[in-house]
Amino acid sequence: AQSVTQLGSHVSVSEGALVLLRCNYSSSVPPYLFWYVQYPNQGLQLLLKYTSAATLVKGINGFEAEFKKSETSFHLTKPSAHMSDAAEYFCAVSDGGSQGNLIFGKGTKLSVKP
Amino acid sequence: DAGVTQSPTHLIKTRGQQVTLRCSPKSGHDTVSWYQQALGQGPQFIFQYYEEEERQRGNFPDRFSGHQFPNYSSELNVNALLLGDSALYLCASSSELGAVVETQYFGPGTRLLVL
């Protein structure tokens, strides 16, 4: 069965600092992995996805994630945080089919201090 | 190009009542999935509709049912509401054509409060 663990329910960084949000997955098949962002009182917006084409995946808003099979990880990074990055971030793994149904982690809330 | 839309945005019901939530998929998408997001949690998959039929279902009771119309829009119905059904209900749409794996695009959600 597929599952996702997000380490740290709350991460706080200063504006301009590196953002690192951690995600580890468990999957019985080669995984398809996603990062979504959720701003307050809104739905989920896709940041990036891994579908086995390349291990380093670049997304929107300057975010990127690296797939590491040996570590079963798919951590999300951004070199320099902006105030507008404050939101909740969800890592998700496909349930094993191509239909894309997702199993989400519990989320990490990112705060950005001025 | 309109994205995924959902209605209503907010809803208040009492225990035992029934509720219907609506979703219009992104233009060009033929598949609709529904998720429940409880406060402080990640979304949980309820079910998916494709070609007007339920294709997959998550671990939710039969009180949760749905429908997809010929124009690909969808409804989520919940009967005999419980306090624990209070959550944000998210609709996501996707398209099967040519994708290695479908990417789901989410609507803004309907926030349901059961009193």
Side-chain angles (χ1 to χ4, degrees):
Chain A
Q2 283 65 244
S3 67
V4 163
T5 302
Q6 291 185 242
L7 299 175
S9 59
H10 194 177
V11 170
S12 181
V13 300
S14 298
E15 194 172 18
L18 171 72
V19 175
L20 170 61
L21 304 181
R22 299 178 187 273
C23 173
N24 288 90
Y25 70 89
S26 172
S27 177
S28 56
V29 297
Y32 299 124
L33 295 159
F34 303 78
W35 275 101
Y36 284 85
V37 60
Q38 186 175 36
Y39 297 100
N41 300 314
Q42 294 189 26
L44 302 174
Q45 181 182 7
L46 179 69
L47 280 176
L48 50 82
K49 63 181 179 181
Y50 168 75
T51 58
S52 76
T55 56
L56 183 62
V57 182
K58 294 188 183 298
I60 62 171
N61 301 339
F63 284 94
E64 63 181 36
E66 186 173 8
F67 173 72
K68 291 188 177 180
K69 184 178 178 180
S70 60
E71 299 177 8
T72 61
S73 68
F74 190 57
H75 301 332
L76 182 71
T77 60
K78 182 174 180 177
S80 176
H82 295 164
M83 296 296 291
S84 60
D85 294 327
E88 188 140 26
Y89 291 79
F90 292 94
C91 181
V93 62
S94 173
D95 67 354
S98 64
Q99 290 89 2
N101 293 327
L102 300 170
I103 298 165
F104 286 87
K106 292 188 175 183
T108 297
K109 186 174 182 180
L110 176 66
S111 299
V112 182
K113 299 175 290 186
Chain B
D1 174 27
V4 179
T5 59
Q6 293 185 243
S7 63
T9 56
H10 294 82
L11 206 50
I12 300 175
K13 292 286 188 179
T14 56
R15 280 177 297 175
Q17 285 189 311
Q18 178 264 344
V19 68
T20 297
L21 311 181
R22 296 176 177 82
C23 172
S24 292
K26 186 176 168 64
S27 177
H29 285 185
D30 56 10
T31 303
V32 173
S33 301
W34 287 92
Y35 291 80
Q36 180 195 67
Q37 186 179 16
L39 201 61
Q41 301 294 318
Q44 283 195 290
F45 172 67
I46 303 174
F47 44 53
Q48 183 185 77
Y49 276 83
Y50 173 70
E51 292 189 340
E52 302 181 49
E53 292 198 357
E54 183 182 292
R55 178 160 71 174
Q56 276 188 277
R57 189 178 184 92
N59 189 25
F60 278 80
D62 291 345
R63 298 188 297 109
F64 289 77
S65 63
H67 189 76
Q68 186 178 35
F69 298 94
N71 66 353
Y72 307 122
S73 66
S74 176
E75 288 182 349
L76 163 66
N77 301 293
V78 187
N79 294 323
L81 284 167
L82 303 174
L83 296 179
D85 295 332
S86 296
L88 180 67
Y89 288 85
L90 295 164
C91 170
S93 73
S94 56
S95 174
E96 195 164 80
L97 292 177
V100 172
V101 61
E102 295 178 21
T103 297
Q104 299 198 342
Y105 294 86
F106 285 80
T110 294
R111 189 164 296 280
L112 172 65
L113 178 61
V114 182
L115 300 176

